[in-house]
């Protein structure tokens, strides 16, 4: 079942959602929630379904952070960063930077007539933006992407019931040293260090980088694949809707984990205190009770804002608007600069926790 959830989860998730929307999966040693309304219920109720548990996979790799804490501690860790990620501040500060970075990256391969857009555009863009946002100097893109490949592999292993291994710890150790070296220079991290202890700054920066790199790279790669699979590319005015539809159809973060703080019944399932409760954002986003013809890419849907790719409740993604900005400008740049662009090969997304194609190979007619 783990292989199925990693490679092609949709038939299984559809069957579970229709017949047993809160299912005990021995392979996960926990419950899997697949219905949209139940996913909302779990993510909204942090008192009953918490992230604050020593088994929480990301915390086991990077330490306690806003991602793995609740209530006052969650607010204390999140607040020093949150004010820098408001929509107006994001638009004012990052639009020019993102556009310039996309132009620079596309300039590097535009004359070739072919490229692999995940690691030649989506990944480097994500690293550059999050490094600029946090004030990390001298960030080596290839090295940071390698660190997050190792960290993601470790989180996937933990989520599948395996041992953490040493790769994630080693990668986080190198990442920690890189972040600590930037705290002393005036930056967002310096400001955060006035409210948080240094290990707390590092853990929260690592989590922001996690979302800003791993899931944003996946979001952009999934979007470009969805756009280029369409017979006719959408009008530029439709790109914001296409982004929401891509997020709905293939969220880069496929699941979020919670732990029951008490015995509770959910859709007829008797969940015991301490049980793992995994919300499948992928399944919730394809719930036919909310989204008609849910397996079809349709940017014209009227209910697109009901997609849950950025989670919901107190742990709604802090960088959602920045990720949307990056995805929109990346898509605009690709469509405007690479005439006749098409997929050279359609590589489907894969991953148990984080879903994206291994590559997005494309070709076009160089000008």
């Amino acid at each position: 079942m783990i292989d199925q959830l990693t490679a092609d989860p949709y038939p299984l998730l559809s069957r579970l959602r229709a017949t047993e929307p809160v299912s005990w999966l021995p392979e996960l040693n926990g419950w899997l929630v697949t219905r949209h309304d139940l996913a909302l219920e779990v993510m909204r109720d942090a008192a009953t379904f918490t992230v604050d548990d020593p088994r929480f996979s990301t915390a086991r790799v990077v330490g306690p952070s806003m991602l793995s804490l609740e209530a006052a501690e969650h607010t204390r860790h999140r607040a020093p960063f949150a004010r820098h990620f408001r929509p107006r501040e994001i638009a004012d500060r990052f639009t020019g930077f993102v556009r310039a970075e996309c132009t620079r990256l596309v300039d590097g391969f535009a004359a070739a007539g072919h490229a692999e857009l995940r690691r030649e555009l989506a990944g480097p863009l994500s690293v550059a933006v999050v490094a600029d946002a946090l004030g990390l100097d001298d960030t080596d893109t290839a090295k940071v992407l390698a660190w997050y490949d190792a960290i993601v592999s470790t989180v996937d292993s933990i989520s599948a019931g395996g041992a953490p291994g040493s790769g994630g710890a080693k990668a986080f150790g190198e990442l920690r040293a890189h972040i600590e070296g930037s705290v002393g220079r005036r930056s967002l991290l310096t400001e955060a260090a006035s409210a948080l202890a240094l290990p707390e700054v590092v853990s929260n920066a690592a989590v922001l980088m996690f979302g800003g790199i791993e899931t944003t790279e996946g979001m952009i790669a999934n979007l470009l694949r969805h756009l280029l699979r369409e017979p006719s590319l959408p009008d530029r005015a439709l790109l914001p809707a296409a982004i929401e539809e891509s997020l709905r159809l293939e969220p880069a973060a496929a699941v979020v984990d919670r732990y029951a703080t008490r015995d509770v019944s959910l859709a007829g399932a008797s969940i015991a205190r301490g049980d793992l409760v995994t919300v499948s954002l992928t399944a919730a986003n394809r719930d036919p009770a909310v989204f008609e013809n849910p397996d079809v890419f349709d940017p014209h849907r009227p209910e697109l804002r009901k997609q849950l790719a950025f989670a919901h409740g107190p742990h709604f993604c802090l960088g959602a608007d920045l990720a949307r900005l990056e995805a929109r400008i990346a898509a605009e740049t690709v469509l405007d600069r690479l005439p006749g662009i098409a997929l050279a090969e359609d590589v489907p997304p894969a991953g148990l926790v984080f879903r994206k194609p291994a590559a997005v190979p494309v070709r076009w007619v160089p000008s």
Side-chain angles (χ1 to χ4, degrees):
M1 186 174 290
I2 293 296
D3 289 345
Q4 190 174 354
L5 287 171
T6 298
D8 183 19
Y10 318 111
L12 172 62
L13 294 176
S14 178
R15 187 167 69 252
L16 291 176
R17 188 176 51 237
T19 61
E20 192 181 8
V22 182
S23 316
W24 177 262
L25 299 188
E27 295 88 348
L28 298 179
N29 194 30
W31 300 92
L32 187 67
V33 177
T34 50
R35 221 169 64 194
H36 189 279
D37 61 327
L38 300 175
L40 283 174
E41 183 176 343
V42 170
M43 289 188 288
R44 284 171 173 163
D45 187 359
T48 304
F49 303 101
T50 184
V51 297
D52 192 357
D53 187 282
R55 294 167 290 173
F56 193 78
S57 57
T58 307
R60 288 173 64 182
V61 181
V62 306
S65 70
M66 68 178 87
L67 189 66
S68 58
L69 296 167
E70 299 287 11
E73 276 297 278
H74 170 254
T75 301
R76 184 176 72 85
H77 280 246
R78 186 175 170 116
F81 300 93
R83 58 180 168 270
H84 296 277
F85 289 90
R86 299 183 183 118
R88 173 56 63 187
E89 282 83 349
I90 286 170
D92 290 346
R93 179 180 170 189
F94 289 105
T95 299
F97 178 85
V98 173
R99 198 171 297 283
E101 193 64 17
C102 285
T103 298
R104 182 186 71 80
L105 290 166
V106 172
D107 281 346
F109 55 72
H114 60 86
E116 195 285 280
L117 293 181
R118 180 187 152 194
R119 281 301 163 98
E120 291 186 63
L121 176 62
L125 173 65
S126 301
V127 172
V129 172
V130 80
D132 183 74
L134 296 178
L136 297 173
D137 294 335
D138 304 320
T139 297
D140 183 313
T141 297
K143 188 177 291 185
V144 171
L145 288 172
W147 289 338
Y148 275 91
D149 281 346
I151 291 171
V152 166
S153 178
T154 300
V155 171
D156 269 345
S157 176
I158 293 170
S159 297
S166 60
K170 181 177 183 293
F172 179 63
E174 295 177 14
L175 174 64
R176 180 177 60 235
H178 181 60
I179 294 171
E180 287 176 346
S182 298
V183 172
R185 297 186 286 270
R186 181 160 183 79
S187 68
L188 170 56
L189 299 181
T190 314
E191 187 177 329
S194 66
L196 302 172
L198 182 57
E200 295 172 336
V201 174
V202 170
S203 293
N204 284 288
V207 162
L208 288 172
M209 292 180 75
F210 210 137
I213 296 170
E214 175 60 30
T215 53
T216 303
E217 180 198 53
M219 172 184 169
I220 295 170
N222 288 333
L223 170 67
L224 293 172
R225 174 178 175 265
H226 286 141
L227 291 175
L228 296 175
R229 293 178 79 218
E230 291 300 294
S232 59
L233 295 173
D235 184 274
R236 298 299 183 274
L238 199 59
L239 267 180
I243 290 168
E244 298 306 307
E245 175 66 344
S246 178
L247 286 164
R248 182 199 67 81
L249 194 63
E250 194 68 74
V255 298
V256 294
D257 287 347
R258 300 291 186 264
Y259 295 87
T261 61
R262 60 182 177 86
D263 294 349
V264 61
S265 177
L266 185 67
S270 297
I271 299 171
R273 178 182 177 183
D275 279 356
L276 168 66
V277 180
T278 295
V279 174
S280 173
L281 301 177
T282 303
N285 274 358
R286 295 195 185 207
D287 188 338
V290 180
F291 305 102
E292 188 177 357
N293 296 322
D295 298 324
V296 175
F297 181 78
D298 179 10
H300 296 281
R301 293 180 185 278
E303 68 279 358
L304 278 174
R305 283 290 177 170
K306 294 181 180 179
Q307 61 85 10
L308 301 176
F310 292 118
H312 195 80
H315 293 280
F316 182 81
C317 176
L318 190 64
D321 289 304
L322 180 55
R324 286 183 171 111
L325 177 72
E326 292 177 63
R328 177 177 60 80
I329 294 176
E332 287 173 349
T333 306
V334 164
L335 297 178
D336 290 343
R337 293 285 309 282
L338 307 177
I341 187 170
L343 288 172
E345 179 186 358
D346 187 5
V347 181
L352 177 64
V353 179
F354 302 100
R355 294 188 58 79
K356 58 178 177 284
V360 186
V362 294
R363 61 179 184 274
W364 62 91
V365 180
S367 56

